[in-house]
Amino acid sequence: MSGDIAAAADIITGALAARSVEPDAGGHHGSGEHGAALCLNCGTKLIGAHCHACGQSGHVHRTVGAIGHEIAHGVFHFEGKIWRTLPMVILHPGALTRRYVAGERARFVSPLALFLFTVFLLFATFSAVGGDFAEAVSPGNLSKSHLEFARAAEKARQKVTERQQRRAALIAAGQSTTDIDSDIKALEITANVLGARQKDTDAAGDDADRFTFSNIKTGWPRLDHGIDKANNNPGLAIYKLQSSAYKYSWLLIPISTPFVAMLFLWRRRFGLYDHAVFVTYSLAFMMLMVIALTLGGAAGLPAGWITLTVFLLPPVHMFAQLRGAYSLGKLSALWRLTLLLFFAWFALATFITLLLLHGLAD
């Protein structure tokens, strides 16, 4: 088996080397000026700037600067689309949803691409502006007394030092450090949280009870074991939940779509695809809102204004999107909005519950 793998690797390496020496080998091309150019991807004769068979551009970039262009293009076709899509998703979400469903796909960033990008941008903003999310939401009262906090924090710091020494040895040996990097990050979060709680007990005394995620015994050994581990190392547990939220954020789409579909059961001209587009663009807007408020908070925006925006803007946006996407009257959109707000909270609670079950039982 290892011989077959090595042989395959040699074949691939040879093919790549041959391609680098003779880059035009196996490709078809011609002079666009004489009308004889062929698509470098599929060999079809070009009759315009792009191949009508596979869609590839007739002009192939071969510069270092083009790599950045291709990265941006690969994320969600920045060339004009993003500047048409963002104003629409913010100011005219209903029209955007209706037009995309109706077939205007080339003009706008696809809902899934926009959603994935906003998820990435959201967590990047949290890390850059708001500090580590796990530290921000870590619950208090991780231990009974100042002495226990001090001992636990020092133990975590010692483990960080040990892991860093092992990491240096792995680097020297040319081995991967992915797993130990995650371990170090989790231990650093735990040490910081314990250190903060140690300072709190200096001021508040030793009256606080020890924090636990849950004292419930479910009878499911795997879950109960996970709860015990979370109670013993809350920093690691919260860090894992943060990572899972980023990784599985797409689950919000299939969780939410059936709830929107329930609002239009008797309108058969709207299908699940239509509702999925509605949900995905709506979620992308909500994440853009959180990003803007996070940046605003970092810039000094009063907490009262942030709270007011969180409670008022989502219903207003959802109402406008319902009216525009489904061509509803005001009263029709209003009663659906009332139900949709309830469904949205239920879908979010379902998502958080699934994350907790996954994180604790993993």
Side-chain angles (χ1 to χ4, degrees):
M1 177 66 72
S2 59
D4 293 338
I5 295 176
D10 289 340
I11 292 172
I12 294 172
T13 303
L16 291 174
R19 193 68 175 178
S20 64
V21 174
E22 191 68 32
D24 293 331
H28 301 278
H29 68 285
S31 172
E33 296 178 359
H34 302 290
L38 300 180
C39 174
L40 295 175
N41 182 59
C42 67
T44 302
K45 185 176 180 179
L46 295 176
I47 57 176
H50 293 78
C51 176
H52 65 279
C54 69
Q56 177 166 295
S57 173
H59 176 66
V60 180
H61 299 283
R62 296 183 61 182
T63 63
V64 174
I67 295 177
H69 170 85
E70 290 182 0
I71 292 174
H73 189 274
V75 174
F76 53 41
H77 304 309
F78 264 96
E79 301 153 311
K81 287 188 176 185
I82 188 62
W83 309 119
R84 285 192 293 266
T85 306
L86 282 181
M88 291 288 289
V89 81
I90 295 171
L91 300 175
H92 306 287
L96 173 63
T97 304
R98 185 179 68 251
R99 291 170 64 178
Y100 189 88
V101 169
E104 289 188 51
R105 311 291 168 82
R107 291 180 56 83
F108 304 112
V109 177
S110 72
L112 185 58
L114 186 63
F115 171 79
L116 293 176
F117 182 77
T118 53
V119 169
F120 165 79
L121 193 59
L122 176 65
F123 282 88
T125 303
F126 280 161
S127 298
V129 177
D132 197 290
F133 182 68
E135 291 184 37
V137 301
S138 291
N141 306 329
L142 297 178
S143 182
K144 282 187 177 180
S145 67
H146 167 86
L147 182 59
E148 289 176 342
F149 280 125
R151 288 173 177 171
E154 181 59 26
K155 186 176 181 180
R157 295 188 189 101
Q158 290 175 355
K159 289 183 178 180
V160 169
T161 302
E162 293 172 1
R163 298 300 194 281
Q164 288 174 340
Q165 293 173 348
R166 288 170 54 188
R167 183 179 184 276
L170 289 174
I171 293 175
Q175 299 180 18
S176 172
T177 63
T178 302
D179 293 336
I180 201 167
D181 285 344
S182 298
D183 198 10
I184 291 173
K185 178 67 174 178
L187 286 169
E188 287 175 342
I189 292 173
T190 301
N192 291 338
V193 172
L194 289 170
R197 297 308 304 147
Q198 176 188 344
K199 294 178 181 179
D200 290 344
T201 54
D202 286 338
D206 298 339
D207 299 331
D209 293 330
R210 184 180 184 276
F211 169 80
T212 55
F213 274 85
S214 175
N215 288 319
I216 298 175
K217 295 298 180 182
T218 64
W220 181 9
R222 188 173 179 180
L223 181 58
D224 290 339
H225 177 64
I227 293 174
D228 290 338
K229 289 178 66 177
N231 290 333
N232 292 330
N233 195 341
L236 177 60
I238 295 173
Y239 176 70
K240 285 185 175 180
L241 290 174
Q242 176 185 347
S243 300
S244 296
Y246 175 69
K247 186 187 303 181
Y248 299 109
S249 57
W250 57 269
L251 277 174
L252 284 167
I253 299 172
I255 291 174
S256 304
T257 298
F259 292 116
V260 178
M262 290 172 60
L263 301 175
F264 298 93
L265 287 176
W266 54 93
R267 293 199 175 192
R268 296 190 176 182
R269 67 190 182 97
F270 300 120
L272 282 177
Y273 177 83
D274 306 348
H275 306 315
V277 171
F278 176 94
V279 165
T280 309
Y281 273 137
S282 181
L283 288 171
F285 169 81
M286 300 306 167
M287 292 187 187
L288 288 171
M289 179 191 71
V290 174
I291 292 168
L293 292 177
T294 301
L295 295 175
L301 183 67
W305 283 104
I306 294 177
T307 303
L308 186 65
T309 302
V310 168
F311 280 97
L312 291 184
L313 186 56
V316 171
H317 187 271
M318 292 164 70
F319 178 79
Q321 190 176 8
L322 279 170
R323 288 202 67 193
Y326 298 104
S327 301
L328 302 176
K330 291 182 179 179
L331 291 178
S332 183
L334 188 59
W335 73 259
R336 285 182 171 87
L337 172 65
T338 305
L339 290 177
L340 189 57
L341 290 172
F342 171 77
F343 290 156
W345 283 109
F346 186 80
L348 181 60
T350 301
F351 176 70
I352 294 174
T353 300
L354 291 175
L355 281 184
L356 287 170
L357 289 175
H358 171 75
L360 295 175
D362 185 10

